[in-house]
Amino acid sequence: MLRKTKNSSIYILMIIIAVLQLFPLYWLVISAFKDNSEIIGGTVWALPAEWRLSNFTEAWVSAKVNQFFGNSVIVTLVTLLFVLLFASMMAYALTRMKFKYNSLILFILLMGVMVPIHATLIPLFMILKNLGILSSRLSIILPYIAVNLPIGVYMLSAFLRTMPKELEEAAFMDGCGVVKSFFKVVLPLLKPPLASVAIFVFLAVWNELLMASTFIQKQELRTLPLGLMNFSGQYSISWGPLAAAMVISTLPILLAYVLFSDQMEKSFTAGAILK
Amino acid sequence: MEKALSNKKIIALFLLPGLTVFLIFYFVPIVMTAYYSLQDWDGINPMAFIGLDNYTKMFTMDKSFWQAVWNSLAFLLVGVFIQLPVSFALALLVSRKMKGRKWFRNIYFFPVVMSTTMVSLLWVKIYDPNIGMLNTLMDTLGLGAWTGAWLGDTKTALLSVLIVTTWHYVGYNMLILFAGIQGIPEQYYEAAKLDGATGWKAVRHITFPLLSDVLRICIVLNVIYALKTFESVYVMTNGGPLNSTTVIALKMFQEAFLKQNFGYGSALAVFMVLECLIISWVLNKILTQEKIEY
Amino acid sequence: MFGKKFGVVAASAALVSVVLTSCGGAEANNGGTQGQEAAAADGKKSVTLWIFDADPMYQSAAEATAAEVGVELKYEYIQDETYKTKLSVALAANELPDVFQQHAGKSYRTPVLQSKTVAPLNDTLDSTGLGAQFLDNQLVTEEDGNIYSVPSNISTTLVLYYNKKLISELGAAAPATWEDLQALIKTANDKGMIPIALGGKERWQADLLYDMLVAREDVNAFDKAINGQAKFTDPPFVEAANKVVTLVNSNAFQKGFLGSAYLDAQELFKNDKAVMWIDGSFNFSSLSTAMGDNLGYIAFPKTGAEDVLSATIGFQNAQAPYSLFVNNSSANVDKAKEFAIRLSLKLNDEFVRKGLPGYAKSEVKSESQNKELSAYAADINKTSKTQAMWFGLLSADVGQEYRDLTQALYGGQLTADEFTAQLETLLRTAE
C-alpha cells in the first residue's frame, strides 16, 4: 500500500516536470497557428480559434526557413565529417605513434578544449579575409572544425588508451599497412566514442551564432540560428510566422531524435565509459 | 609495427591535416588576439601600440567588466550546483523500472534538440511582461503578486536567463548520467539490498561513487558551457538591462564590433582565455583529489 | 605498400578538394562582390544591396530600380542590430557589398568615410544629370569636395504619435503640456492602458526622448554645453533628467520597458495596448499603413520653457543622413553607382507618394489624404531648429557609453544630479 502511494506520487512528480518541460513548446505550437491580434489580445494558452496555415506558408516562402535549414545541415555535416576523421587520426597518432613533440602537441590541443572560441573571433576574421574565403561557407566550417578538434582528440585518445593493441597488431601481421589497419580495424572500434563526439559537436555547431553572424554575409548562406535571428527582426511584429518557422525547423530534428533515440542513448553510455 | 608507427611520413599523414586546420584557425588567432590586445585599434585606422593600457582599463575603469565576470560565475555555479543535481535527480527518476519511462526520458531531453537561439527567442516571448504567457498564467493561478518584468528588470533578468539555460540543458546532463547509471551492473544493487541498503542509501553508497567519473565529465562540460555562454544572453537581453546580464564573451563582441575598440575587445578575449585555463586547472586539481578520496 | 598509402592520401585529398570546391562553387553562384562569374553567364551584371530597413517598400523600390538599370539584384535585408556589427566587420575587412545603407549620424558615417572603401559619386551624378534632381543641401559634400552618398530616407525628426481610439476611450486629448502629459499618464494607468510604449533594450529611443526633453527646457542647451560655454550639469539638463525620473516613477512606460525590444514595444502601440509612441517621423508611412485613421500625430508637448515649434530632435540630410554608399572595389562600380542614385530617387518618389516632404524633385503626385501627415509637414516647416540627435554627433564608443548612461537614468540607478555629473565627465573628455 505504502509502496503504491510512493509510486504514484513519483508518477505525479514526473508528470509535473514533463509539463514544465513541454508547456513552452505547447505555447510555441499553438502560437504558430494564431494571428497577431489573437496572440496579443486573446487568452495565451487557448487553442487557436482557427487553425491557420498561413503562418507556415509565410515562414516557408518568405522567410526561407528551408534554405536556412539546408545550410545548417550542410555546415553541420561537413564539420562533423572532418572533425571525426581528423580527430580520430590525430588521436591515433598521439596515442600510438612515437615522435618528438608528441606531448607538446597534446598539451596545446588540450588547452584548446578549454579556450572559448570567442577569443579567436577578431583575428580569425582577418585570416579569413586574407585567405579570401570570408563569406563563403568555408568561413565558418574551417573554424568550426578547428575549435571542435580538441574535444574530439581528447575524448578519442582517452578511449584509445584503454583499447588493447592486439587487434591492430594482428591486422598489421596480416600485411595491412598502418593506414589500412587504422581504417579497417581501429576506426570501426572507435564507433561508440565517435558517436559521443558527434553528438557533442553537433550541438555546438548546430547552435553556433556568434561566428555565423560575423562571418556569413550572404543571405543564401545563413544558418538556422542566424536566419531566425534575422527573421525575428523583420517579423517580431508578427510572432505567428516566427513561431511557425521555429516549429518547421524543429520538426526534422525531433523526428530524427525519436527515430534514433535508442542509438543515441547507447552512445551516451559509451561516452560515459570515458575516463 | 613499431617501426611503421615511427615512420615520419605516416605520422605526418595522420597528424598534419587536423593539426594544420587547428593551428591556422584556432591557435594562431589566439596568439594574434594577445598581440591585438596591446594595441589601440578601431579596425580601420592603423594600430597604435599602447602596452598594457587596455588591461589597466579593464581592471580599474570598466565597471561592467566585473559585472560580466560575476555573471559568468553565476552561470558556472548554477550549472554545477543546480542544473547538475536536478539532472541527477531526473536521471534517477527515469532509470526506475516503470511504465513509460522512455517517454519521460524523451520529453525531458526534448528541449536540448532545439537550438539556443530558438529557445531564447521563445522565452523572450514567454517572459514578455505585457503580452507573454508567464505573467498571464501566474495571474490565473492566483500568483498575481509574484508577476514581474522578468528580463526587463535588473533584479530578475539574470535569474530569468539562468532558468532558461537550465530548462534547456537539464536533459542533456540527465541523459549522460542516465547512461552512466545504466552501466552499473545490477548485482551491485542486489548485493546492497541484502545488506539492507535500498532507496536513498543505495544511491548514496553505490550509484554515487560508481558514477564519479561520469559526474566529473558532466562538471567539466557544464563549466565549459557556462564560461562560453553567449547566444542565450545575446538573444534574450543583449546584456541588459543596465549590464545586469552581460557576460565577458558578449562584452568582447560589443566592444570590438559595436564600439569598434578591437584592441580592448581583444584584451577581454585574452582575459577569457586565462579565466578558462585557470578555472579548468583548479577544477582538475579538485576533481582528481576527490577521486583519491573514493 | 606505398601504393595503398598513396591511394588513401589521394582519396582524402580528393575528398577535401570536392568539399572545398563545392563550397567555393556555392559562393560563386551566390553573387555578391565576387559574383561576376554567375552574373556573366546570363549577360547581366549583378549588384548586391544591404538594407536594414524592414519596410517592404525598400525591396520593391530596389527591384524596380534594378530592372531600370539592367542589373541583377541581390537584395539582402539584415536585422538592424545585427547590421551595425556586421557593417563594422565588413568595413574593417573591406568585404562590403556593392551598395549598402548606413545609419544617420556622424558616428556611423565617419568610419565609412575613413575606411576609404566607398566611391565618390560626383562623376555619375554629373554624367547622368541625376544630380540636378536632388534638392539643395540634400547631398553631403565631404571635406575633399566629393559626394560619397545619396539619401535613403528623408530628414527625420522626433514626434509623438498617439492612438486616437484609446485617447477617445479615455475621454482625453493629445497632450499639449507637461501637466497634460502627466494627467494622461495617470488616466491611462487607471484604465489599465500603457501610457507610453518604449523600447528600452536598444536604448536609442530612451536616449532620444531625453534629448528632446532637454531641448524643451532650452533649445540651445546642448550646443552651448558641447562648445564649452555651459555645462552638462546646468539646470536644463538636470530638469530634463528629473522629468525622466518623474515619468518612470509615474509608470509612464510599460512594465519591463528596459528589456523591451523596439519592435516589440511598437507592437504594443499598434495593437491598441499603448496610448502613445515616441518615434522618428521616418516611421510615418509604416505606422499609418498599420493603423490607418487610428494614428494621431502631434509635435512633442511643451514640457519645459520652450515652445513646441522651437525645436525638434532629429537630423538633417545636409549633415549625416540615412545614406546609400557604393563600394569602390565593386566589380562593376559604375553600374552600382547608377543603381544607388536611381534607387535614392525611386525611394524619394515613394516618400512623396505618401505625402512626405521628399529630398529630390519628383513627378509623382501625393496620393495621401492623411491629415496627420499634412499637419506634420506644416509643423516641420514652422519649426525653427532641428537639434541633431546627440548620439549622431558623438564617436561610436562615446555614443554607446552615453546610451548606457541614459539607460541607467531610466533604470533608476542614477539620480538626476548623478546622471548629469557623469554626463559632464563623459562628454567633456570626449571632445
Side-chain angles (χ1 to χ4, degrees), chain C residues 87-153:
Chain C
L87 197 74
S88 65
V89 168
L91 281 173
N94 202 359
E95 277 285 329
L96 293 163
D98 302 304
V99 181
F100 61 95
Q101 198 183 9
Q102 178 60 314
H103 281 271
K106 213 174 78 180
S107 53
Y108 292 115
R109 190 178 181 85
T110 312
V112 174
L113 294 171
Q114 278 184 347
S115 72
K116 307 215 182 307
T117 51
V118 288
L121 306 174
N122 309 47
D123 49 348
T124 316
L125 283 167
D126 293 342
S127 67
T128 55
L130 293 172
Q133 299 271 325
F134 291 90
L135 303 178
D136 291 346
N137 286 327
Q138 294 287 340
L139 295 174
V140 190
T141 306
E142 302 303 331
E143 280 167 18
D144 64 359
N146 285 325
I147 293 166
Y148 286 94
S149 71
V150 282
S152 70
N153 209 331

Side-chain angles (χ1 to χ4, degrees), chain C residues 90-340:
Chain C
L91 281 173
N94 202 359
E95 277 285 329
L96 293 163
D98 302 304
V99 181
F100 61 95
Q101 198 183 9
Q102 178 60 314
H103 281 271
K106 213 174 78 180
S107 53
Y108 292 115
R109 190 178 181 85
T110 312
V112 174
L113 294 171
Q114 278 184 347
S115 72
K116 307 215 182 307
T117 51
V118 288
L121 306 174
N122 309 47
D123 49 348
T124 316
L125 283 167
D126 293 342
S127 67
T128 55
L130 293 172
Q133 299 271 325
F134 291 90
L135 303 178
D136 291 346
N137 286 327
Q138 294 287 340
L139 295 174
V140 190
T141 306
E142 302 303 331
E143 280 167 18
D144 64 359
N146 285 325
I147 293 166
Y148 286 94
S149 71
V150 282
S152 70
N153 209 331
I154 52 172
S155 297
T156 283
T157 62
L158 194 71
V159 302
L160 193 146
Y161 300 102
Y162 63 93
N163 186 317
K164 284 185 177 170
K165 194 169 101 192
L166 295 188
I167 285 269
S168 68
E169 269 177 40
L170 292 174
T177 62
W178 175 239
E179 289 71 30
D180 288 355
L181 184 65
Q182 282 183 300
L184 183 57
I185 287 166
K186 191 171 178 310
T187 331
N189 271 326
D190 290 346
K191 289 269 174 70
M193 292 175 191
I194 298 163
I196 304 172
L198 189 79
K201 189 177 174 187
E202 292 92 349
R203 302 164 303 163
W204 59 263
Q205 222 183 353
D207 137 28
L208 288 181
L209 176 57
Y210 178 70
D211 293 2
M212 188 78 226
L213 288 168
V214 171
R216 281 287 179 268
E217 296 300 323
D218 175 1
V219 175
N220 298 313
F222 182 79
D223 286 349
K224 279 187 274 181
I226 202 82
N227 293 332
Q229 296 155 337
K231 285 186 158 182
F232 289 99
T233 45
D234 286 350
F237 296 96
V238 180
E239 190 46 41
N242 274 322
K243 290 209 157 94
V244 167
V245 174
T246 312
L247 287 173
V248 173
N249 289 342
S250 59
N251 293 324
F253 311 114
Q254 81 273 22
K255 199 170 181 181
F257 70 95
L258 283 177
S260 287
Y262 163 75
L263 287 172
D264 287 336
Q266 190 180 73
E267 206 54 17
L268 292 172
F269 176 64
K270 282 192 202 162
N271 283 281
D272 302 340
K273 290 255 166 185
V275 183
M276 288 173 276
W277 175 245
I278 298 162
D279 199 358
S281 54
F282 66 89
N283 238 332
F284 237 118
S285 65
S286 69
L287 285 173
S288 62
T289 314
M291 298 173 66
D293 292 341
N294 206 3
L295 180 73
Y297 149 84
I298 50 163
F300 194 82
K302 180 178 157 62
T303 54
E306 302 279 2
D307 189 62
V308 287
L309 294 179
S310 61
T312 182
I313 296 292
F315 53 84
Q316 298 288 3
N317 278 5
Q319 295 157 5
Y322 280 109
S323 305
L324 293 171
F325 285 95
V326 174
N327 177 1
N328 64 9
S329 50
S330 160
N332 38 11
V333 67
D334 290 327
K335 279 282 178 196
K337 284 181 185 177
E338 191 188 337
F339 174 83

Side-chain angles (χ1 to χ4, degrees), chain B residues 34-292:
Chain B
Y35 172 72
Y36 290 165
S37 75
L38 306 174
Q39 316 282 333
D40 180 17
W41 185 37
D42 64 359
I44 292 165
N45 294 308
M47 297 183 195
F49 182 80
I50 52 164
L52 294 175
D53 282 7
N54 282 327
Y55 293 93
T56 326
K57 179 181 167 191
M58 183 161 84
F59 289 118
T60 57
M61 283 154 69
D62 191 340
K63 276 169 273 171
S64 62
F65 167 73
W66 291 109
Q67 177 80 45
V69 173
W70 159 245
N71 288 345
S72 298
L73 211 63
F75 275 95
L76 194 155
L77 294 175
V78 168
V80 174
F81 293 105
I82 296 186
Q83 187 183 320
L84 203 54
V86 173
S87 301
F88 187 65
L90 286 182
L92 287 175
L93 281 179
V94 297
S95 50
R96 292 171 60 91
K97 294 201 172 38
M98 57 197 290
K99 246 191 201 162
R101 66 170 188 167
K102 188 163 184 277
W103 277 104
F104 283 113
R105 216 153 60 221
N106 282 345
I107 289 170
Y108 297 163
F109 186 76
F110 179 53
V112 180
V113 304
M114 294 177 76
S115 75
T116 312
T117 310
M118 209 190 290
V119 166
S120 307
L121 288 170
L122 170 64
W123 279 85
V124 166
K125 298 289 176 184
I126 291 176
Y127 279 134
D128 191 304
N130 301 291
I131 59 163
M133 183 185 78
L134 188 60
N135 276 354
T136 333
L137 195 66
M138 288 175 79
D139 274 331
T140 321
L141 295 175
L143 297 169
W146 293 80
T147 58
W150 309 119
L151 296 170
D153 187 334
T154 46
K155 290 187 211 73
T156 50
L158 183 63
L159 184 69
S160 306
V161 174
L162 287 168
I163 288 174
V164 176
T165 50
T166 306
W167 176 84
H168 189 195
Y169 279 117
V170 80
Y172 184 65
N173 288 306
M174 177 205 74
L175 207 59
I176 298 180
L177 290 165
F178 166 77
I181 292 171
Q182 294 302 293
I184 299 173
E186 197 61 25
Q187 302 94 285
Y188 285 41
Y189 290 101
E190 277 159 20
K193 221 177 196 169
L194 293 178
D195 292 341
T198 53
W200 176 242
K201 260 190 186 162
V203 171
R204 164 119 177 60
H205 293 289
I206 301 171
T207 320
F208 213 63
L210 285 173
L211 225 53
S212 63
D213 282 328
V214 183
L215 277 169
R216 228 176 57 225
I217 291 178
C218 281
I219 292 174
V220 172
L221 290 180
N222 270 304
V223 169
I224 296 177
Y225 272 130
L227 292 177
K228 294 181 179 179
T229 304
F230 172 80
E231 279 88 353
S232 51
V233 175
Y234 178 61
V235 177
M236 278 193 271
T237 63
N238 204 9
L242 300 169
N243 293 321
S244 58
T245 56
T246 194
V247 288
I248 303 277
L250 182 70
K251 237 185 105 55
M252 181 215 81
F253 181 72
Q254 288 172 335
E255 283 293 340
F257 295 108
L258 202 60
K259 299 191 187 173
Q260 291 177 319
N261 289 331
F262 282 86
Y264 187 52
S266 300
L268 285 164
V270 171
F271 175 82
M272 253 179 107
V273 171
L274 295 179
E275 181 196 29
C276 288
L277 289 179
I278 290 170
I279 288 180
S280 60
W281 180 76
V282 171
L283 204 65
N284 206 27
K285 280 267 165 195
I286 297 172
L287 291 177
T288 34
Q289 254 173 14
E290 256 179 29
K291 205 185 165 193
I292 297 164

